[in-house]
Amino acid sequence: MIDEIRRIQAESTRRIDGAATLDELGELQRDLFGKASELGGLKKQLGGLAPEARREAGLAMNEATEALRTALDGRRSILEASARRAQADAERLDLTEVRAGRDAGHLHLVTQTIEELEDVFVGLGFTVAEGPEVEDDWHNFTALNFGQFHPARDMQDTFFVGLGEPKEVVMRTHTSPVQIRVMEGQAPPIYSVMPGRVYRNEATDSTHLAVFHQLECLVVDEGVTFAHLAGTIDRFTKAYFGPGWTSRLRPSYFPFTEPSAEFDIQRPDGTWLELGGCGMVHPNVLANCGIDPEAFSGFAFGFGLDRLAATRHGVTDLRELASTDIRFLEQF
Ligand code: DAH
């Protein structure tokens, strides 16, 4: 019987080591230890042996069972590891490979949008300016004619930075503070666009991001009128989206412009998309920057870039723009 046990052990070990899949191994385990197994059959015969022979055969039986369980466990962990490896290989995204031609890495959709809009405005004779994302109260609010207790300060859902006096340092809530920096730094004529990242303390959903992008436009010169503002907005709408698109202005309120308006753009199918705010630069704002409001006038507008890019490219959830999933990113 002992020889028989050893033979079964050797044969079964070979079968275990040869199992190619976890399924096959499971089946084998049932074959080896189930009621109808060869070892099971021998076990039933143990009772008929003489005591000494029974003891030795029992010992060999236990050894064989133990050895086979160890072999099964070993084989299972090898097969599990290779199954994991196969799955990881199947789901693998190669983020390092540089391929020639159009498959090579490219700029993010929002960056492409910024560059494209910059090109449109540079073509109209504008310069491009930038400002810091961490701003002081003066540039983000006060110089823009938000009084100290102006309710519009609360409408901006500001992230405050724990620096200096309380509420003195903020993550900029819009790109309008860059208007102030441009006017503080240069005398008119000013024809400038200012793209950048802005921050709002609000819940994120498919149409709102807490960190997003705006483009600001500022013109200050002699004799600038509301007609120049409306014409510039319409020009850029057509240049960015195409000749079938138009724009409209609706009366609104912003502390830093007077009169103020919101502007929408109209898709070729006739539907409207709210894009941003605009108006004639408020005389207080010009004066805050050392520009004589009697001698110069100006217009400004600002709008969200993420929504603009999403509209043009059919992205229905703005949160995708903040994702790092290469399968989303490589579509643009
Ligand atoms: N800064 C405004 C906002 O984020 C948008 C805006 C309105 C910008 C009017 C302007 C403007 O330049 O003139 O809500």
Side-chain angles (χ1 to χ4, degrees), residues 156 173-174 176 179 200 214 216 254 256-257 277-279 300-302:
Q156 296 255 346
T173 57
H174 49 181
S176 302
Q179 289 187 33
R200 296 277 172 95
Q214 290 186 333
E216 195 81 13
F254 298 98
F256 39 95
T257 44
C278 62
F301 59 87

Side-chain angles (χ1 to χ4, degrees), residues 267-278:
R267 305 180 180 93
D269 70 4
T271 58
W272 292 94
L273 173 73
E274 281 183 36
L275 210 57
C278 62

Side-chain angles (χ1 to χ4, degrees), residues 20-228:
T21 65
L22 285 166
D23 282 350
E24 207 179 311
L25 195 67
E27 219 163 280
L28 191 51
Q29 177 164 9
R30 281 187 293 282
D31 273 4
L32 296 180
F33 297 116
K35 288 233 161 56
S37 67
E38 277 187 297
L39 278 182
L42 287 180
K43 210 177 262 175
K44 279 181 210 135
Q45 294 170 26
L46 281 179
L49 295 178
E52 181 62 7
R54 184 164 72 216
R55 206 184 60 78
E56 279 175 16
L59 218 55
M61 178 77 72
N62 287 345
E63 264 172 32
T65 308
E66 182 88 1
L68 291 179
R69 291 212 185 276
T70 306
L72 276 169
D73 288 347
R75 187 67 191 156
R76 182 171 300 108
S77 45
I78 290 172
L79 290 176
E80 281 173 351
S82 75
R84 270 197 304 279
R85 224 175 301 122
Q87 187 182 2
D89 277 346
E91 293 177 0
R92 179 183 156 93
L93 296 172
D94 189 343
L95 305 178
T96 57
E97 188 185 8
V98 176
R99 283 174 284 173
R102 68 174 290 281
D103 280 342
H106 61 260
L107 297 174
H108 188 273
L109 177 55
V110 171
T111 311
Q112 291 178 40
T113 305
I114 291 175
E115 296 199 343
E116 218 174 304
L117 287 169
E118 284 176 3
D119 285 349
V120 168
F121 282 101
V122 166
L124 295 173
F126 285 73
T127 58
V128 179
E130 283 182 13
E133 293 176 21
V134 181
E135 263 297 5
D136 51 30
D137 177 273
W138 169 256
H139 291 93
N140 198 78
F141 292 122
T142 304
L144 286 163
N145 204 34
F146 287 81
Q148 207 192 334
F149 301 107
H150 199 293
R153 281 182 188 243
D154 294 333
M155 282 162 49
Q156 296 255 346
D157 300 317
T158 310
F159 281 120
F160 294 98
V161 179
L163 271 180
E165 294 293 305
K167 300 199 166 184
E168 173 60 27
V169 180
V170 305
M171 298 309 292
R172 69 178 177 196
T173 57
H174 49 181
T175 43
S176 302
V178 193
Q179 289 187 33
I180 303 300
R181 292 187 176 273
V182 168
M183 287 188 279
E184 284 172 343
Q186 94 180 72
I190 294 170
Y191 292 80
S192 208
V193 288
M194 300 143 253
R197 195 178 286 132
V198 301
Y199 300 80
R200 296 277 172 95
N201 184 6
E202 63 180 348
T204 293
D205 61 29
S206 65
T207 57
H208 296 88
L209 298 176
V211 179
F212 56 104
H213 301 79
Q214 290 186 333
L215 185 125
E216 195 81 13
C217 176
L218 174 70
V219 167
V220 183
D221 204 343
E222 289 171 19
V224 175
T225 71
F226 205 86
H228 295 127

